[in-house]
Amino acid sequence: MSEFELIREYFFWQDIPGSVQVGVGDDGAVLRVPVNRELVVSVDTFNAGVHFPLETPPHAIGYKALAVNLSDLAAMGAEPAWFTLAISMPEADRQWVSCFTRGLRELAQQHGIFLIGGDTTRGPLSVSIQVMGWVEPGQALLRSGARHGDLICVSGTLGDAAAGLAIVQQRLQLSGGAAEHCVQRLNCPSPRLQLGASLRGRASACMDISDGLLADLGHILKASGVGAYLRHGALPLSPALQQLELAQRLDFALRGGDDYELLFTLPTDCLREVMESADNLGIRVTVIGVIDANQPGLSLDYTFHDERSGYEHFSQ
Ligand code: ADP
Ligand code: MG
């Protein structure tokens, strides 16, 4: 199968939205950003064996590569619009590409984001996706706005994906249903786009949790120039995680990556309306701590026995 056949068959999507003047097929895409909107752009690369285990099914690779990027748009409070896909693969295996595209497309259709171009090359399996979306001017949710007294909140539950990875790597065993839940959360995270949109004008700071709660909260604290108190007893844990011993479940929930839940800070008077919006979306939101501008860094009422805080690519 030639590169061009591959592109035509799998990456040239027909249902072209009105915002795309020129999509796949020319040297570049030509796009219409609505008037009075700011463009939000983010890119993430997914390398086999680094960002996902080699045995990950192709459907999950397609789904997750887009999900983690959509999660960045969610964290900015942006509406998804378009994405590009740069893919490198060892061979043009029709079955593999077909499953990969199914996963990709399933999620793309769910969130109304459209593939407008990319690059296809031969090499070790790697997938780079760049997403584009928009927000009203000045409305993007940043990491830098957390203020003294703001409540620290997270969506969903924490640590499931880290437990899922441990299960896939045969470092952990859980009973059937619980194991399946965790592996599903690892392979098919849910980007919280509607929740992110509902936080515009309400949350003082927001980001998505990709490297673990402690590491990622550290980014908000640094960008905002504040400290925080965190209560380990308040962390939202799934029934699957609750089966584990305290030290292990806290390790997954606080330092495990790949959750793609939203972490945000809220002035106390916004809590009620945010909880109501989240309820209507069927998403759990939990208050796990509070911002304190008078003390630097993060105070957690739990001590780990080692120093590690989260996943960093060049430090291990
Ligand atoms: P060029 O040599 O001009 O970069 P390419 O042969 O790389 O062109 O790509 C041809 C067209 O196919 C371009 O419009 C490009 O955006 C699109 N394309 C290539 N690979 C992909 C892909 N993986 N996903 C979506 N579009 C792609
Ligand atoms: Mg090219």
Side-chain angles (χ1 to χ4, degrees):
M1 199 178 192
S2 80
E3 178 195 329
F4 295 106
E5 281 170 345
L6 199 80
I7 294 169
R8 195 169 346 106
E9 188 161 341
Y10 295 105
F11 302 134
F12 179 39
W13 297 358
Q14 304 290 332
D15 40 349
I16 304 172
S19 63
V20 179
Q21 205 153 5
V22 178
V24 170
D26 215 310
D27 295 307
V30 183
L31 307 165
R32 290 198 189 106
V33 184
V35 282
N36 205 26
R37 289 290 183 279
E38 288 175 344
L39 194 60
V40 177
V41 180
S42 178
V43 63
D44 262 317
T45 297
F46 240 57
N47 292 331
V50 181
H51 303 93
F52 57 90
L54 293 171
E55 59 275 17
T56 307
H59 176 274
I61 297 173
Y63 188 102
K64 186 166 176 179
L66 182 58
V68 305
N69 278 283
L70 283 169
S71 178
D72 282 319
L73 287 182
M76 300 300 290
E79 312 283 335
W82 315 294
F83 71 102
T84 59
L85 164 69
I87 184 166
S88 155
M89 48 194 155
E91 55 183 340
D93 176 338
R94 187 185 286 270
Q95 167 122 30
W96 192 96
V97 179
S98 158
C99 292
F100 169 86
T101 315
R102 230 180 343 100
L104 188 73
R105 214 167 163 162
E106 183 184 313
L107 191 65
Q109 280 173 343
Q110 207 175 309
H111 293 287
I113 192 164
F114 191 77
L115 180 57
I116 47 123
D119 198 24
T120 307
T121 55
R122 190 182 295 268
L125 182 59
S126 168
V127 179
S128 265
I129 287 183
Q130 180 178 52
V131 284
M132 285 151 274
W134 53 64
V135 286
E136 286 176 29
Q139 293 290 295
L141 301 170
L142 309 181
R143 298 177 176 187
S144 52
R147 296 290 173 262
H148 185 76
D150 286 353
L151 302 171
I152 303 168
C153 305
V154 288
S155 64
T157 56
L158 299 176
D160 297 324
L165 183 63
I167 290 165
V168 169
Q169 295 179 337
Q170 303 186 340
R171 290 181 279 118
L172 175 70
Q173 282 195 318
L174 282 175
S175 64
E180 208 176 288
H181 165 82
C182 293
V183 173
Q184 173 74 11
R185 292 265 294 159
L186 172 72
N187 285 339
C188 300
S190 307
R192 304 298 190 188
L193 285 150
Q194 289 171 303
L195 181 66
S198 80
L199 295 176
R200 288 193 301 256
R202 292 167 169 167
S204 49
C206 184
M207 69 180 296
D208 65 328
I209 303 177
S210 54
D211 296 337
L213 176 66
L214 292 185
D216 288 330
L217 181 56
H219 296 310
I220 288 187
L221 300 184
K222 197 163 177 212
S224 300
V226 292
Y229 284 104
L230 213 56
R231 285 202 312 118
H232 79 270
L235 298 173
L237 302 180
S238 66
L241 241 69
Q242 285 171 25
Q243 291 181 19
L244 304 174
E245 283 179 17
L246 182 72
Q248 189 168 39
R249 65 180 190 249
L250 289 183
D251 184 43
F252 288 145
L254 289 164
R255 307 197 288 192
D258 268 4
D259 282 324
Y260 300 100
E261 293 296 345
L262 293 185
L263 168 65
F264 52 97
T265 59
L266 279 183
T268 45
D269 57 358
C270 289
L271 183 63
R272 236 183 79 185
E273 24 180 356
V274 166
M275 286 292 190
E276 269 172 28
S277 306
D279 258 3
N280 292 335
L281 295 168
I283 297 172
R284 174 170 167 188
V285 163
T286 310
V287 177
I288 57 169
V290 65
I291 295 293
D292 183 350
N294 301 320
Q295 61 125 45
L298 182 59
S299 286
L300 173 68
D301 58 349
Y302 180 84
T303 311
F304 283 108
H305 295 293
D306 57 72
E307 303 269 292
R308 203 167 54 81
S309 74
Y311 193 86
E312 281 186 50
H313 283 278
F314 294 104
S315 68
Q316 332 207 318

